[in-house]
């Protein structure tokens, strides 16, 4: 996951007929919402708490619960745990939104910057490794080119010597036969 996660344990009792618990994994820079269709005249009770395994400091939440017509039924900022309850006045979809507070968002941004710095250092290390490998390969290529050049010159020398020997032999043969 690209960002550190905050694990939220939510027990929202009576949002549905039997009551359920909802677990959310919330990143340090995101907001998560969930909704439930509820009939009118239902008592809704909710408890929320934060589990923060692997997180350097205990995060702080903001929570807001709204009715189907946008009326805010519960709003808290900078809390680590809490409860809410209300009686539904109208049937419809009720919405509960959770987000990490600003201080933790800044901490999340700092953590992201640290991760990015680590990634940049890893990329830089890989580039330096590739540069050294490229240098080694260039040295091998230059040495191979040097060997091929000498091999070509030796081959050319053998061809020139062979042609001179053939000319000398043919000239001697034609003089012996008195053709020239």
């Amino acid at each position: 996951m690209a960002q550190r996660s905050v694990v939220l344990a939510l027990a929202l009792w009576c949002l549905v007929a039997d009551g359920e618990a909802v677990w959310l994994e919330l990143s340090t820079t995101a907001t998560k919402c969930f909704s439930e269709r509820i009939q009118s005249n239902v008592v809704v009770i909710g408890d929320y708490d934060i589990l923060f395994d692997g997180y350097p400091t205990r995060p702080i939440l903001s929570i807001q619960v709204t009715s189907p017509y946008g009326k805010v039924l519960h709003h808290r900022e900078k809390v680590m745990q809490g409860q809410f309850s209300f009686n539904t006045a109208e049937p419809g979809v009720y919405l509960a939104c959770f987000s990490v507070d600003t201080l933790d968002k800044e901490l999340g941004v700092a953590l992201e910057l640290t991760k990015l710095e680590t990634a940049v250092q890893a990329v830089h290390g890989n580039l330096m490794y590739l540069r050294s490998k490229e240098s080694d390969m260039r040295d091998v290529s230059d040495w191979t080119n040097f060997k091929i050049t000498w091999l070509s010159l030796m081959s050319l020398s053998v061809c020139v010597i062979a042609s001179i020997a053939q000319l000398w032999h043919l000239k001697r043969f034609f003089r012996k036969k008195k053709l020239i």
Side-chain angles (χ1 to χ4, degrees), residues 40-160:
S40 61
N41 296 322
V42 174
V43 176
V44 177
I45 301 170
D47 294 322
Y48 50 92
D49 195 2
I50 300 172
L51 299 177
F52 59 103
D53 294 338
Y55 198 70
T57 60
R58 188 171 176 110
I60 300 171
L61 281 181
S62 291
I63 178 172
Q64 182 169 328
V65 180
T66 57
S67 71
Y69 298 110
K71 180 181 173 190
V72 176
L73 301 172
H74 177 77
H75 179 76
R76 293 284 187 272
E77 291 185 7
K78 299 182 180 177
V79 293
M80 293 182 231
Q81 64 182 10
Q83 297 177 341
F84 61 87
S85 64
F86 56 89
N87 190 7
T88 59
E90 63 267 349
V93 176
Y94 287 79
L95 184 69
C97 293
F98 296 86
S99 63
V100 177
D101 235 353
T102 309
L103 294 175
D104 286 334
K105 286 182 183 176
E106 291 172 3
L107 178 62
V109 169
L111 290 172
E112 279 302 311
L113 287 175
T114 304
K115 285 181 187 177
L116 288 174
E117 183 180 7
T118 304
V120 165
Q121 288 173 349
V123 167
H124 183 268
N126 286 339
L127 285 175
M128 295 309 290
Y129 172 76
L130 289 174
R131 182 180 284 174
S132 70
K133 284 296 187 184
E134 186 266 337
S135 176
D136 293 343
M137 294 306 288
R138 191 176 338 111
D139 291 343
V140 168
S141 178
D142 288 346
W143 178 247
T144 304
N145 191 21
F146 176 75
K147 284 194 229 178
I148 288 175
T149 301
W150 275 105
L151 182 62
S152 297
L153 288 175
M154 287 180 10
S155 176
L156 182 63
S157 300
V158 168
C159 288
V160 168

